[in-house]
Amino acid sequence: MPVQDMMFYALVFGVVVVLGFVASQLFGSKAETKLRSRLRENGAAPKAEDGAEKEGLTDMLTKIGQAAAKPFEAKTREEQSVRRRRLAMAGIYTPSAQRLLDGIKVILSSAGVVGGYFIGMSMGNMLLGIALCGLAGYLSPVIWLKNRIKKQQKALDRGLADAIDLLVVCVESGLTVDSAMQRVGQEINIAHPSLSREMEIVHMETRVGLPRSEALKNLGVRTGSPALQALAAMLIQAERFGTSIASALRVHADSLRVNRQHQAEEIAAKATVKLSFPVVLFIFPAVLIVLAGPACIGLFNSALFDK
């Protein structure tokens, strides 16, 4: 039997084993606990049909991802904490999100290996196709998570200055810091939903008995945003030394706007350097051909180049 046929049968067998494992974890295990069944029996009225179908599809995908991720879950608490923190930096707080992400890695890696086999067969290099497609399938969720973290931090930084201005107004009107953060979180929910959610989490932590300083520290650690970390440190120091919180917030908002202006100026200064590469590679050759092309054609057709 040729080696290529043997590798193809091995790949098909591996895919069948993975799908069988997922199916056994999905349909063979007990889907619900007794408490969840009791809550479902005594729950509210059923939702609309469209919402129920979407929820059922989401649950199905979640279960498939969790089943495929079981062999690759984090074993130590340190690794689990690091993964949970990265998801929190991306604004994802669902308990099953890490399992689902690991399951998607497994599924995409398996699909990449199978697709890479056929692509490699058509290109004449089967091992290269399997390696590249499998690696691309494995790294796709990681790249998506990194982009989600960057997008989340940009959204937080974009709305922080406006939120601090509203905090100054609320504090000067007589509200406490906790009440002011709750009110500001409600007001900016439409314009800046990510920042509103984080402020609501801080308010909920203080309501359950966590000290304000710990809640603010958790805000900086959870989001990973340097601007929010600086805001948390400023509020903690102002409360510790008894300084005016409104004045400190106003100064901090001004510094944020100055930093934003400096970043905009830096981006504008880098634009000329970044534009030089496409100009030299694409625009300049086209302009050179249009301007010098007719002259070169006329020169070649002249008597100077006649034999």
Side-chain angles (χ1 to χ4, degrees):
M1 182 180 294
V3 179
Q4 294 181 354
D5 294 339
M6 293 178 63
M7 294 187 66
F8 175 74
Y9 293 142
L11 285 174
V12 173
F13 177 75
V15 172
V16 171
V17 170
V18 172
L19 292 178
F21 175 77
V22 172
S24 63
Q25 293 294 329
L26 182 60
F27 301 104
S29 61
K30 191 174 182 180
E32 297 175 345
T33 60
K34 295 182 179 179
L35 179 60
R36 184 172 299 178
S37 300
R38 189 181 306 169
L39 291 175
R40 177 170 294 182
E41 291 175 359
N42 300 328
K47 299 180 180 179
E49 295 182 356
D50 296 339
E53 291 178 359
K54 292 181 180 179
E55 186 178 359
L57 181 60
T58 304
D59 293 341
M60 180 68 69
L61 293 177
T62 303
K63 289 179 182 179
I64 292 175
Q66 291 177 359
K70 279 189 177 181
F72 303 94
E73 290 180 358
K75 302 301 186 296
T76 61
R77 292 185 177 181
E78 291 78 7
E79 189 176 357
Q80 292 176 0
S81 178
V82 171
R83 292 186 177 185
R84 194 179 300 113
R85 183 180 176 184
R86 289 185 61 82
L87 289 173
M89 291 172 63
I92 303 172
Y93 298 104
T94 308
S96 60
Q98 185 57 51
R99 278 185 170 184
L100 182 60
L101 189 64
D102 292 338
I104 291 174
K105 285 182 182 179
V106 176
I107 293 172
L108 291 181
S109 299
S110 303
V113 168
V114 175
Y117 174 82
F118 294 104
I119 294 175
M121 288 289 292
S122 62
M123 296 176 58
N125 194 339
M126 183 178 57
L127 295 178
L128 181 62
I130 293 174
L132 291 180
C133 293
L135 184 63
Y138 180 81
L139 293 179
S140 297
V142 179
I143 296 173
W144 175 83
L145 184 61
K146 289 183 179 179
N147 293 332
R148 179 68 182 265
I149 291 174
K150 292 180 180 179
K151 183 179 179 180
Q152 177 75 5
Q153 292 188 352
K154 285 182 180 180
L156 293 175
D157 295 340
R158 190 180 301 113
L160 187 57
D162 298 334
I164 292 177
D165 290 337
L166 293 176
L167 281 175
V168 171
V169 174
C170 293
V171 171
E172 288 181 345
S173 63
L175 294 178
T176 61
V177 178
D178 300 333
S179 301
M181 293 190 73
Q182 180 189 13
R183 183 62 182 271
V184 172
Q186 294 175 356
E187 293 294 333
I188 65 174
N189 187 20
I190 298 177
H192 307 290
S194 301
L195 184 58
S196 172
R197 183 184 183 186
E198 298 298 335
M199 297 180 76
E200 289 291 337
I201 292 175
V202 173
H203 177 68
M204 291 174 59
E205 288 181 347
T206 56
R207 286 187 61 184
V208 298
L210 194 68
R212 186 189 303 166
S213 59
E214 294 296 329
L216 291 173
K217 288 180 181 178
N218 292 339
L219 174 65
V221 173
R222 181 174 63 249
T223 58
S225 174
L228 286 176
Q229 292 175 358
L231 175 63
M234 185 270 298
L235 289 175
I236 293 172
Q237 291 178 0
E239 183 181 3
R240 182 179 300 174
F241 295 108
T243 58
S244 176
I245 295 181
S247 302
L249 287 172
R250 187 179 291 106
V251 173
H252 191 69
D254 293 338
S255 65
L256 284 178
R257 287 191 174 85
V258 171
N259 291 334
R260 185 186 297 179
Q261 182 180 358
H262 290 170
Q263 291 176 359
E265 292 176 354
E266 182 181 358
I267 293 174
K270 290 180 179 179
T272 55
V273 180
K274 293 180 179 179
L275 284 175
S276 61
F277 295 100
V279 167
V280 173
L281 292 177
F282 302 104
I283 299 178
F284 181 73
V287 173
L288 183 63
I289 291 173
V290 171
L291 295 179
C296 294
I297 293 174
L299 182 62
F300 292 149
N301 293 331
S302 63
L304 184 61
F305 289 90
D306 291 340
K307 294 182 180 179

